[in-house]
Amino acid sequence: MSVAAVFAAGSGPWPSHPPALADDVNSIDAIIRAMYASVSFSEGRGPDAERLASLCVPHGRLIKVHANNIDDMSVPEFVERVQTRISEQGLRGFVERELFRRTEVFAGIAHVFTTYESRTDDGGADHLLYRGINSVQLRHDGRRWWILTILWTDERDDCPIPAAYLPRT
């Protein structure tokens, strides 16, 4: 289903918004797991646009922070960028997994700092692409959790992930 079709077919709490699976949004743990699962894919299919959209408020933002600028995207824009990368760069499989998490909650809002690593499967060989930190802002509306913003940056040589945000070995 195209990204545009996902939003046109939705029947969630707002017009043109896909409904979420209850098990994806009933806890912070569940929504963070679903977030990682929705951006991961195999066989060049791309992210699960409908699932990712169902986790986010309709006006949710996905913002990648670079050293000198940002890419500020809606969910459809994010999915379209990944689809372009698949078609132009031949990306076949992509898995993002959580390495570490720190969560703060107060009065129905939450901030999750979640360290990730991203890997690709290119012809049977698993390659580490990058690591970084997602800063996820969430809201609980009395029924479920919603992602408001996913702000992230990849680790760089001049900006390594601090030990406080890595798994303890």
Side-chain angles (χ1 to χ4, degrees):
M1 183 178 289
S2 75
V3 175
V6 164
F7 287 87
S11 60
W14 292 275
S16 302
H17 194 75
L21 299 171
D23 287 345
D24 280 355
V25 295
N26 63 8
S27 70
I28 292 172
D29 285 342
I31 200 167
I32 296 298
R33 276 192 310 271
M35 177 192 76
Y36 279 113
S38 68
V39 300
S40 299
F41 58 88
S42 60
E43 311 280 329
R45 290 185 312 212
D48 185 337
E50 184 169 358
R51 187 176 189 191
L52 181 58
S54 77
L55 304 174
C56 300
V57 293
H59 53 280
R61 304 305 296 171
L62 287 79
I63 305 167
K64 180 169 186 180
V65 177
H66 302 279
N68 297 317
N69 66 347
I70 63 168
D71 290 329
D72 183 355
M73 301 164 273
S74 65
V75 172
E77 290 167 335
F78 169 80
V79 172
E80 287 173 13
R81 283 189 186 197
V82 175
Q83 292 292 356
T84 299
R85 188 169 173 206
I86 291 168
S87 63
E88 293 179 0
Q89 299 176 9
L91 181 64
R92 292 172 35 154
F94 176 86
V95 176
E96 190 164 280
R97 74 178 186 98
E98 185 175 54
L99 301 174
F100 178 84
R101 182 188 315 170
R102 180 168 294 157
T103 303
E104 302 289 338
V105 181
F106 173 75
I109 63 170
H111 178 245
V112 177
F113 227 47
T114 171
T115 306
Y116 61 86
E117 74 174 11
S118 300
R119 295 184 167 274
T120 185
D121 179 358
D122 186 16
D126 179 20
H127 299 284
L128 177 65
L129 294 171
Y130 36 79
R131 299 184 320 168
I133 295 178
N134 287 310
S135 172
V136 184
Q137 290 72 49
L138 302 116
R139 170 180 189 265
H140 196 277
D141 66 1
R143 295 181 310 272
R144 58 160 284 184
W145 285 100
W146 292 94
I147 294 175
L148 304 171
T149 308
I150 305 171
L151 176 75
W152 77 96
T153 193
D154 297 333
E155 180 177 48
R156 302 183 311 268
D157 289 339
D158 66 334
C159 190
I161 296 172
Y165 299 109
L166 290 170
R168 289 159 179 77
T169 55

